[in-house]
Amino acid sequence: MTVLSIGELSKRSKVNVETIRYYERRGILPAPPRTRGGHRVYADEHLLRLNFIRRSRELGFDLVSVRQMLGMVDGGNMTCENIREIATAHLDVVRSKIADLKRMETTLYATVARGDGGGDPECPILEALFDGGSEAPRR
Amino acid sequence: MTVLSIGELSKRSKVNVETIRYYERRGILPAPPRTRGGHRVYADEHLLRLNFIRRSRELGFDLVSVRQMLGMVDGGNMTCENIREIATAHLDVVRSKIADLKRMETTLYATVARGDGGGDPECPILEALFDGGSEAPRR
DNA sequence: GGTACAACCTGTAGCGACTACAGGTTCAAC
DNA sequence: GTTGAACCTGTAGTCGCTACAGGTTGTACC
C-alpha cells in the first residue's frame, strides 16, 4: 500500500505533474484523497492507471478514447470486442496519417532534390510551391 | 486585372474565408484594399500568394516557415539556399514524424492482432496497454 | 519550536492552425 | 425599396498539454 505525493507519482509514471492534474480535470484520472492541507495522496492503483494512460498516449490514442477504454474497464460493461473496435479504428487513423506524411515526403523530396543539378534556375522549390496544384502530386 | 471578393478568392484558392482572414491577421497574406463599405477587394497577386500558402500547408510547412519564405521573396534578401534550408529542415521533421507513426503502427498492429487467435484471454489489448513499459516496443 | 524552502495548491493564459459563432453592416439583384 | 446572401469585427472553442502567478503546506534541520 504505497502512498505517493503527486511529485513521486510523476517520477514513477514519467508523466508531468501539471499533466497529472490536467488528467484529473478531464476526468481520466480519478481525484485522489487529500491530506488535511489539501495535497493529493495517490495509491498504487493510480500509478497503474496513469501508466495505462501514458502508454495509450504514446501509441497515439486521444484522451476521449483513453477515457472510453478506462470507462469500460471501470463499469462492468466492458467487452474486449469494444476495446478492439477502438484500437482498430485508431490503427486506421495512424495508417492514414502515415500515408499522408509519405505523400508529403515524396513531393518534398522531389522538390528539394530538383535544384541539386547543374545550372542556376531561379529557385525550383519556390516554383514548385507557386505553381503546384492541389494536394495530389501530378502525373 | 481581376477583382475578387473574399468569397471568390476562397473558391478559387480552396481556402476557407475565415482562414483567409486569419492569414491576414497573422501577417502572411497582405491586407488588401477595401470598398467604401469595408469589404476586402483582392487581385490576382493575392490568389497567387494564397495558392503558395495552401500548397505549403499541404506539404506540412508551418505558418512561420511560410512567412519566412514569403518574406524572403518580398524583401530582396532571398537566396535559394535559404529556401532550401527551410525545406530540408522540414523534410527532416516529416521523416521523423513518419518514423514515430510507424513505430506506433507496428506496436498497435501487434497488439490488435494478438487476440485474434484461439482461446479466450481476458483482453490482450488492455493487458498490453497496462503492462507495457516506455515508448520503445520491447524486443 | 522556529525557520527555510521545496513542493504543493488553484486558476488562468498561451501554443498552432484553424473553426464557429454572435451580432451587426453592405452589396447586388430584382 | 426590399430582400437576403455575403460580408464585417471580435471573441471563444478545439486538443493536449505547458507555464506561469500568487498563495499555502509539508518537511528537514538547528
Side-chain angles (χ1 to χ4, degrees), chain B residues 5-7 21 34 38-40:
Chain B
S5 70
I6 197 170
R21 287 196 281 249
R34 305 282 184 121
H39 288 199
R40 289 171 178 81

Side-chain angles (χ1 to χ4, degrees), chain A residues 14 48-49 51-52 54-56 58-61 69-70 73 78 80 83-84 87-88 90-91 94-95 97-98 101-102 104-105 107-109 112-113 115-116 122-126 128-130 132-135 138, chain B residues 14 48-49 51-52 54-56 58-61 69-70 73 78 80 83-84 87-88 90-91 94-95 97-98 101-102 104-105 107-109 112-113 115-116 122-126 128-130 132-135 138:
Chain A
K14 279 157 205 150
L48 198 66
R49 200 178 175 95
N51 280 333
F52 180 95
R54 179 180 45 72
R55 181 115 180 104
S56 302
E58 284 169 0
L59 291 176
F61 286 97
M69 292 192 285
L70 285 171
V73 176
M78 188 208 97
C80 194
I83 299 282
R84 181 188 305 283
T88 306
H90 177 56
L91 182 55
V94 169
R95 283 179 173 161
K97 277 187 189 165
I98 291 173
L101 282 165
K102 276 189 175 168
M104 286 182 201
E105 199 269 352
T107 308
L108 263 175
Y109 179 64
V112 169
D116 270 353
E122 257 270 298
C123 186
I125 300 171
L126 285 180
L129 287 171
F130 269 116
S134 240
E135 173 88 329
R138 283 98 20 107
Chain B
K14 279 157 204 150
L48 198 67
R49 201 177 174 97
N51 280 332
F52 180 95
R54 179 180 46 72
R55 182 117 180 102
S56 302
E58 284 168 359
L59 291 177
F61 287 97
M69 292 191 286
L70 285 171
V73 175
M78 188 209 96
C80 195
I83 300 281
R84 180 188 307 282
T88 306
H90 176 57
L91 184 54
V94 169
R95 283 178 173 161
K97 279 187 188 164
I98 291 173
L101 283 165
K102 277 189 175 169
M104 287 183 199
E105 199 270 350
T107 308
L108 263 175
Y109 179 65
V112 169
D116 271 351
E122 257 269 298
C123 186
I125 300 172
L126 285 179
L129 287 171
F130 269 116
S134 238
E135 173 87 328
R138 285 92 31 96

Side-chain angles (χ1 to χ4, degrees), chain A residues 9-135:
Chain A
L9 182 65
S10 170
K11 264 178 215 144
R12 297 206 195 177
S13 61
K14 279 157 205 150
V15 174
N16 206 317
V17 168
E18 319 261 40
T19 305
I20 295 173
R21 287 196 282 248
Y22 172 72
Y23 289 159
E24 185 181 321
R25 279 202 303 285
R26 296 294 308 272
I28 286 154
L29 195 67
R34 305 283 184 119
T35 61
R36 257 156 299 143
H39 287 200
R40 291 171 177 80
V41 179
Y42 294 96
D44 281 336
E45 52 179 308
H46 292 99
L47 181 55
L48 198 66
R49 200 178 175 95
L50 197 48
N51 280 333
F52 180 95
I53 300 168
R54 179 180 45 72
R55 181 115 180 104
S56 302
R57 294 286 306 124
E58 284 169 0
L59 291 176
F61 286 97
D62 57 23
L63 291 181
V64 170
S65 302
V66 176
R67 182 160 47 197
Q68 277 173 10
M69 292 192 285
L70 285 171
M72 287 181 197
V73 176
D74 291 344
N77 59 339
M78 188 208 97
T79 319
C80 194
E81 216 40 56
N82 300 139
I83 299 282
R84 181 188 305 283
E85 266 167 42
I86 293 173
T88 306
H90 177 56
L91 182 55
D92 286 347
V93 170
V94 169
R95 283 179 173 161
S96 91
K97 277 187 189 165
I98 291 173
D100 285 351
L101 282 165
K102 276 189 175 168
R103 247 177 280 123
M104 286 182 201
E105 199 269 352
T106 303
T107 308
L108 263 175
Y109 179 64
T111 305
V112 169
R114 197 178 309 174
D116 270 353
D120 201 9
E122 257 270 298
C123 186
I125 300 171
L126 285 180
E127 275 164 31
L129 287 171
F130 269 116
D131 68 8
S134 240
E135 173 88 329

